[in-house]
Amino acid sequence: MSGRSAAGLILIVASLPRSLVNFRGPLLRAMRALGWAVEAAAPASGQDRESSAQLAAMDVSMHDVPLSRTGMNPFNDVRYLWALIRLMRSRKPSVVLAYTMKPVIFGLMAAAIAGVSRRYALITGVGYAFTGEATGKRRLARSMAQLLYRHSLRHANKLFFQNPDDLALFRQLKLFPASVPAIVVNGSGIDLDAFPSAPLPTGKVRFLMVARLLSAKGVREYASAAARILEKHEDVEFGLVGGTDSNPDAIPLERVEAWQAAGTLTWHGEVAEVRPFLAQSHVFVLPSYREGTPRSVLEAMAMGRPIITTDAPGCRETVTDGVNGFLVPVGSVEPLADAMERFIARPELIGQFGAQSRNLAETKYDVRKVNAQMVREMELD
């Protein structure tokens, strides 16, 4: 376990060990640099040995907790809550920071019950429950999420949101009391040194999408737009990087394989290292229905790639339309294909827009700036 420090102990409650490395690594290092001991709670940490080893190298200890990320079984959730309470009573952290839905809901509840005095939550997006039409299973998930958020968020000392639309939605739904301060930060930020600007490849124009295989990410629209483009252009390629998911919104694997068999796109599956795929692409595409702030877009921007994304919460903040990319309507295919066509017809825009993407990543999304704001707002310095 991490040793105690003069500053105290921070416990991070997360949904996946690898997200602690990929999305929170610079923040964890910033906390350690300020003299805090840092530990983390996430499920299946014993199975993800690579992430656990990377966290250990940062001097961050892992605690395995029984979280079912997408299930709605109340017995599993109570078991998760109780595991967090026991952990917090045992480790006695000075600060708890939770992110993603279930860790936020049950992490804040557990912290309040365990007597942790400083409790923070980072809302990284609204997820399945709040996207799409509220019918059937999604309607039940939305009702339960709202009920649980109202109960848990009142225990927070401060809330962090990754875009103003999510903050506005939570306020509109009265998911947290007015007495709880709420701050908007520029996503998770991006490590500009880890994602340096890369020269554009030669040859045919290559579009790339990186996302989990979920309908709400716009994967179907991407494939449909690709099919339209390929009817007119042979010298264009479409790549898709991302793994399958247990989410009810997941796209069947057979559908993705059918797109690949038809020559519409090349699916690379889930990859440990996305930079080589970004380096071999010309234009990055994410037709998502809603995001917190999409990390995949920030990575592409940092590497100097123009962006096509939707005029949707979390996505629209990353693009100045006609400057570093194009914004298209949510759920659209024809406007998405038209945006792709503009880069094919005017390939000089790729380099121009890509340079603007890198500039925006440097000025707005530098992870050091984002983390400095969070550290300051949590009064850790």
Side-chain angles (χ1 to χ4, degrees), residues 23-24 162 186-191 295 298 365-367 370:
F23 299 151
R24 307 287 157 243
Q162 294 196 331
N186 291 323
S188 301
I190 187 68
D191 186 337
R295 172 61 179 265
L298 301 189
Y365 292 107
D366 185 338
V367 72
V370 175

Side-chain angles (χ1 to χ4, degrees), residues 14-62:
S15 59
L16 287 171
R18 68 174 178 271
S19 79
L20 288 159
V21 176
N22 295 339
F23 299 151
R24 307 287 157 243
L27 179 60
L28 301 182
R29 285 190 287 268
M31 291 172 170
R32 289 291 298 121
L34 289 168
W36 289 87
V38 181
E39 299 179 6
S45 56
Q47 299 173 27
D48 190 347
R49 295 181 180 178
E50 181 180 357
S51 296
S52 295
Q54 289 174 299
L55 290 165
M58 299 180 207
D59 198 19
V60 175
S61 300
M62 282 296 302

Side-chain angles (χ1 to χ4, degrees), residues 9-15 20 23-24 27-28 31 38-41 80 84 88 93-100 103-105 107-108 111 116 118-124 156-161 371 374-375 378 380:
L9 171 64
I10 299 174
L11 178 67
I12 312 294
V13 186
S15 59
L20 288 159
F23 299 151
R24 307 287 157 243
L27 179 60
L28 301 182
M31 291 172 170
V38 181
E39 299 179 6
Y80 175 54
L84 290 175
M88 292 178 194
S94 306
V95 178
V96 164
L97 171 64
Y99 68 97
T100 69
V104 164
I105 288 171
L108 289 179
V116 180
R118 298 167 65 182
R119 305 178 293 270
Y120 302 98
L122 173 61
I123 309 299
T124 56
N157 294 87
K158 189 171 289 184
L159 300 175
F160 297 94
F161 289 82
N371 289 342
M374 290 194 65
V375 163
M378 289 190 288
L380 301 180

Side-chain angles (χ1 to χ4, degrees), residues 286-299:
L286 184 68
S288 179
Y289 297 3
R290 189 178 189 118
E291 297 284 334
T293 295
R295 172 61 179 265
S296 60
V297 169
L298 301 189
E299 293 171 347

Side-chain angles (χ1 to χ4, degrees), residues 223-233 264 333-335 337-338 341:
S224 296
R228 290 193 181 200
I229 292 293
L230 290 170
E231 288 176 359
K232 297 184 290 182
H233 302 277
T264 304
V333 173
E334 186 174 349
D338 288 345
E341 184 75 50

Side-chain angles (χ1 to χ4, degrees), residues 270-281:
E270 186 173 7
V271 301
E273 179 53 78
V274 74
R275 279 169 287 198
F277 295 91
L278 288 169
Q280 289 303 310
S281 71

